[in-house]
Amino acid sequence: MTPDVFAQSVLFTLGPFPVTGMMVASVFTSLVLCVLGGLLARAVRHAPGGRLAAAGRLTYTFLRDLVRGTAGRPVPVLEVFAGTFFLFIAGAAIIGQLPGVTAPTANFAATAALAVLVFFAAPFAGIRARGFGGYVGHYFRPNPIFFPFHVISEITRTLALALRLFGNMMSGHMVVILLVALVGPLVPVPLMALDLLIGLLQAYIFTILASVYIGAAIREGEED
């Protein structure tokens, strides 16, 4: 029997490391985004009046305003970090519409990895803003007895991030697969469009929540 990793069949192994379909789709999505990002950046520098340059500026402005509006202040590093989440999740939703390809975000291992990045980024941003002691001190306010509750809150919101994205992406993909099996490849086309719309919406929501959590850590760190 072929071994599974987080319910994904192993395609091949690289030494002791199994490579699954989700991993391949994730790498493919990342490579496509890198190529597109390079093309847009090149267009902005060398052909600022072209359509690609306009698309690049529009994408940058959208992500910058989204993160700034949510975080409550300009944070260039956060704009790049949270904006990357949006692009990857949106790209995964688009890639998932290809025949025989499952969106990486329809696997809990992938969504959990994204949520864990947010989990570690929040305290990192807070510590960077005020220092280790200044940031950790907010876990003990207004009373040290609340420390375990603050920690539990951090863990549960991370789990909620992962489960929300995984549940929405997987359910939409499964509905399309079932309808293709039952009624043929043409009838589910409107549902595929709906599935793509849901994926883009989830990218938007995940980016907002990540910006809220990390922005709150930064503001907490800057409190006097």
Side-chain angles (χ1 to χ4, degrees), residues 141-165:
R141 293 195 295 265
N143 191 296
I145 197 173
F146 287 98
F147 172 77
F149 298 102
H150 285 301
V151 174
I152 292 173
S153 174
E154 299 275 354
I155 295 173
T156 54
R157 79 182 186 187
T158 301
L159 183 60
L161 268 180
L163 289 175
R164 180 187 295 108
L165 179 59

Side-chain angles (χ1 to χ4, degrees), residues 1 7 9 36 42 46 49 64 93 97 108 115 120 134 165 192 205:
M1 179 180 294
S9 296
L36 290 177
R42 180 180 177 84
H46 301 290
R64 182 198 62 192
Q97 304 306 312
F108 184 67
F120 285 109
L165 179 59
M192 292 176 65
I205 293 173

Side-chain angles (χ1 to χ4, degrees), residues 12-134:
F12 58 91
T13 58
L14 292 176
F17 302 103
V19 177
T20 68
M22 181 270 294
M23 295 177 183
V24 173
S26 297
V27 171
F28 179 71
T29 302
S30 300
L31 289 176
V32 170
L33 290 174
C34 288
V35 171
L36 290 177
L39 292 175
L40 294 176
R42 180 180 177 84
V44 171
R45 289 195 303 268
H46 301 290
R51 294 181 179 179
L52 279 180
R57 288 191 294 269
L58 182 63
T59 301
Y60 169 76
T61 302
F62 168 75
L63 295 176
R64 182 198 62 192
D65 293 345
L66 172 64
V67 176
R68 284 187 182 184
T70 307
R73 51 157 290 180
V75 186
V77 175
L78 178 57
E79 292 166 17
V80 174
F81 184 73
T84 302
F85 281 130
F86 180 89
L87 294 176
F88 178 80
I89 297 171
I94 296 172
I95 294 295
Q97 304 306 312
L98 298 177
V101 179
T102 301
T105 45
N107 183 274
F108 184 67
T111 61
L114 297 177
V116 167
L117 287 175
V118 178
F119 175 81
F120 285 109
F124 177 82
I127 291 171
R128 185 181 179 187
R130 194 178 181 185
F132 181 81

